[in-house]
Amino acid sequence: MSPLIIKSLEVFACKTDAPKITWAKDMTPMYEANIIVRIITKEGYEGVGGVLVPTEHSYDHSLPEAMKNLFPEVLFKSVNDREKLTRHMLTRCVGLNPNAVSPIDIAMWDCYAKSKELPLYKILGAKRDNIKSYASTPLFENVSEYINFVSNLSDQGFKTVKFHTW
């Protein structure tokens, strides 16, 4: 078994161009950022993990900063020990824990799956090769906006829609 020693970690905070949506009547439109972690091992394997961070008023930079405080806990350690490393990170005094741990954990699992040349879903024990997808609506002001939106989703092939309503 390859040691899969983590030689580098990077975190990226990426703003989205998605339209800002309102989740509830008393909330302002949400700013959404994708927080992405990339792990590279000494053997050259790369693992990527990420989370979506929605916040009101502006983009929040606190999660990537919190994650950087966890990097020393896994740097130069083995991806083969990912479950132990994740448990350890969850005990650290880091803001936004366990949210800060999640993308690092995902990246370690992704890296491990790639080292085994298997898709991650099989490493995690999947019992099937596909699942039906569904679409979700944003919050709209009136019924006609929902009808138009769902009609467009139907044209794209979606058979199931999750409605978000006021």
Side-chain angles (χ1 to χ4, degrees):
M1 178 188 297
S2 175
L4 297 175
I5 302 301
I6 298 169
K7 76 170 184 177
S8 68
L9 295 102
E10 298 173 285
V11 61
F12 304 90
C14 307
K15 298 176 182 177
T16 67
D17 291 332
K20 291 177 181 57
I21 59 170
T22 303
W23 290 10
K25 282 193 177 202
D26 64 341
M27 295 176 81
T28 61
M30 302 303 278
Y31 288 76
E32 294 182 339
N34 289 303
I35 309 304
I36 300 165
V37 172
R38 180 170 54 190
I39 289 175
I40 298 175
T41 68
K42 288 184 178 180
E43 297 82 1
Y45 291 104
E46 177 181 287
V48 178
V51 293
L52 178 70
V53 178
T55 52
E56 292 185 85
H57 310 297
S58 67
Y59 293 101
D60 186 351
H61 301 275
S62 58
L63 188 61
E65 292 303 317
M67 291 167 62
K68 288 177 188 177
N69 287 311
L70 291 169
F71 286 1
E73 304 299 327
V74 297
L75 191 60
F76 307 121
K77 306 273 184 3
S78 175
V79 167
N80 291 317
D81 295 326
R82 64 203 167 280
E83 293 178 70
K84 177 182 163 187
L85 292 170
T86 296
R87 283 192 304 273
H88 173 72
M89 285 187 292
L90 288 170
T91 67
R92 302 298 86 194
C93 187
V94 173
L96 303 173
N97 207 352
N99 292 346
V101 171
S102 179
I104 300 168
D105 179 63
I106 294 166
M108 288 191 295
W109 278 97
D110 183 50
C111 189
Y112 177 77
K114 288 173 179 171
S115 77
K116 297 296 182 190
E117 297 182 5
L118 288 170
L120 182 55
Y121 77 94
K122 288 198 176 185
I123 293 288
L124 296 174
K127 302 297 182 205
R128 52 187 164 176
D129 290 328
N130 60 59
I131 58 172
K132 293 181 181 181
S133 65
Y134 69 90
S136 293
T137 70
L139 294 169
F140 290 116
E141 292 293 327
N142 58 58
V143 173
S144 64
E145 289 179 289
Y146 283 99
I147 291 169
N148 292 336
F149 190 81
V150 171
S151 176
N152 184 302
L153 293 173
S154 178
D155 292 344
Q156 295 176 49
F158 286 99
K159 305 266 187 257
T160 307
V161 177
K162 177 180 174 182
F163 282 83
H164 294 273
T165 62
W166 295 107

